[in-house]
Structure formats: structure tokens, C-alpha cells
Amino acid sequence: MRRVIFNQKGGVGKSTIASNLAAMAAHQGLRTLVLDLDPQGNATRYLLGENPESADETLAGYFEDTLSHRIYSRGPDAFVWRSPFQHLSVMPSHPALETLQGRLESRYKIYKLRDSLAALEGFDRVYIDTPPALNFYTLSALIAADRCLIPFDCDAFARQALDELMASAAELKADHNPALEVEGVIVNQFQSRARLPASLVESLKADGNTVLEPFLSASVKVRESHQVSKPLVHLAPRHKLTAEYEALHQRLESA
């Protein structure tokens, strides 16, 4: 199963959600891989504790190889790093991804990620973190994935943009990846005592969107986990937010 975390809006928690769902899957014994396609590398730093200095063994190196005229000697497994957490691996990001994008688009390498993941063995689950834009890397991820999860941070601007996101996913499914299914919207940074978040969520449901439960609560514990590069299941296994991630993961696995 390959899941892409997709939203064109920044700051909605894509990297946090991708990393914590992947860590939860790995903690439950599933061999799990995270692909960090965002040049900012937040998921990479979160799960590896650092961002690789050299691009050569990151996803930037992988895409550079796809542009090479030589016969490549490295398969996709050469770009997989083992994280400090059992069963959890990462294909890390690098800032060089930004400058590679135009070359990849001009050479029409949009299906390369899908083909390479199909050839990559040894993983039960793959989570793909994407940039906050509908660009080459996000399109590559949507083409490579089976399922799509859309984070929603209970913001009025995010609500206005959600219909466009759904339309983009539907268009890509029709044109490039008929297997892609939108599993639903993940409500992030939810404040149960505030009126606006509840109102926005009800609006999502009224428009026929699949809103996944439980919602993910707002908590400073997330920032603490970022600081020490430990997903919540390892930093605070008994925390309320960790329990919400566990329940959300179980829902996804049982669907």
C-alpha cells in the first residue's frame, strides 16, 4: 500500500502526519518506507535526526540518475536509509530537488517514481510526503500512490481550497492513475472547544467529503517531538495525541 499525503497549502501538517502514521505502522511491525519529496526535508530531519549533506544518496541523487545518459548501476534501494526506529526506513530529501524539477519536467519523467516503487521490494507500507504545491514531485507521488490522504488544519482558507484539491485528485485519477483513491480528509490541530473548527468540519461533511476520525488534537507535544526527532509513538506513547494517531492508523488499516 502506497499512500501520498497531499495538500497544496503549507503548514497543514503533511510531514508530521506522514511521519507519525509511518512510525505507527512500523511500531506495529509493518516494514515501512517514507519518501520525502519536499525539498525542505522536514520529514527527513524528523525521522533521521539530520538532513544529508550530500545529495548523491538522497531522492535528489535518485532523480539525477534518471536524467543520466549512462546505464545506471544503482537501483532504488540504494537511496533507502534505515532510521533509528525498527522497521522504518526513509528515502531522504535534499534541497537539490528544487533545481532538478525543470529538467525532470522537460524530460517527462513523471512516471519514473511509480515504476521504481513498483520494483522496490521489502516494504509493506509506503508513505509519501509532498511539497506544498501541485508540482512535478506532487504529481509523481499521486501517480505512484494507491491512496491519498488530505490534511486539513481547520482554517477558513484551507476550507476554500479543499474543493480545488479534490478536483485536482480526480483529474489526475482520470488522466494518469485510475487506481488512486482519496481515503479521506485528516483533521489536524483540532480544538474541540472552539466553534470555528467544528463548523468547518461540519461543512466538509455536508459537502460529501469523507472526514476521517479521530481528529488530531492541537498539542505542543508535536513540537517537542520535532525538536528531538522522535515520532510520538516513541516520545510519548501514552499521550492523547499518540492514541489518536494509533486509532487513525487502525482505521486506515481496516478500511
Side-chain angles (χ1 to χ4, degrees):
M1 180 71 70
R2 299 191 289 268
R3 290 188 170 97
V4 57
I5 316 300
F6 167 52
N7 196 317
Q8 293 168 241
K9 184 177 181 292
V12 297
K14 290 189 300 295
S15 299
T16 299
I17 290 170
S19 298
N20 277 285
L21 285 176
M24 189 63 69
H27 187 67
Q28 295 184 6
L30 296 170
R31 297 165 298 175
T32 305
L33 175 66
V34 173
L35 273 76
D36 186 0
L37 286 170
D38 189 345
Q40 296 179 78
N42 291 332
T44 297
R45 186 163 52 253
Y46 195 6
L47 297 176
L48 296 181
E50 62 178 348
N51 291 106
E53 293 184 7
S54 171
D56 189 54
E57 294 181 356
T58 71
L59 277 165
Y62 158 80
F63 282 115
E64 185 67 58
D65 270 13
T66 70
L67 294 168
S68 175
H69 293 292
R70 65 185 172 84
I71 298 175
Y72 346 120
S73 58
R74 298 187 294 179
D77 57 322
F79 304 94
V80 174
W81 293 43
R82 297 180 66 178
S83 83
F85 313 106
Q86 190 174 20
H87 304 307
L88 183 58
S89 298
V90 180
M91 292 182 79
S93 177
H94 191 275
L97 284 171
E98 193 73 50
T99 58
L100 283 169
Q101 187 172 182
R103 295 168 59 200
L104 290 162
E105 287 175 334
S106 67
R107 297 279 296 278
Y108 205 69
K109 297 293 186 179
I110 201 74
Y111 295 102
K112 185 62 180 178
L113 184 65
R114 180 197 64 184
D115 296 342
S116 292
L117 284 178
L120 188 63
E121 298 180 350
F123 294 102
D124 303 307
R125 299 291 182 272
V126 176
Y127 283 86
I128 310 174
D129 187 24
T130 57
L134 190 60
N135 61 16
F136 171 86
Y137 297 117
T138 303
L139 292 172
S140 293
L142 288 165
I143 289 170
D146 307 305
R147 301 289 184 268
C148 176
L149 295 169
I150 299 179
F152 177 75
D153 64 349
C154 298
D155 177 85
F157 293 133
R159 175 64 191 94
Q160 294 169 11
L162 196 87
D163 291 340
E164 183 179 343
L165 288 175
M166 292 297 187
S168 296
E171 182 178 2
L172 188 135
K173 173 183 173 71
D175 292 344
H176 299 288
N177 182 7
L180 181 68
E181 299 293 341
V182 176
E183 284 186 287
V185 176
I186 295 178
V187 178
N188 192 30
Q189 299 288 326
F190 186 72
Q191 296 173 300
S192 59
R193 297 182 181 180
R195 292 183 179 180
L196 179 61
S199 173
L200 291 172
V201 169
E202 287 306 312
S203 172
L204 290 177
K205 292 179 178 179
D207 286 348
N209 296 293
T210 300
V211 180
L212 300 172
E213 294 189 36
F215 307 152
L216 301 175
S217 302
S219 174
V220 71
K221 189 61 70 175
V222 169
R223 295 183 181 180
E224 294 175 10
S225 74
H226 293 165
Q227 185 176 18
V228 297
S229 298
K230 276 191 176 182
L232 289 161
V233 69
H234 299 288
L235 177 68
R238 298 182 181 179
H239 194 273
K240 174 187 176 182
L241 183 54
T242 308
E244 291 167 356
Y245 268 109
E246 182 177 14
L248 179 59
H249 177 261
Q250 289 177 345
R251 169 165 181 171
L252 293 172
E253 288 297 312
S254 62

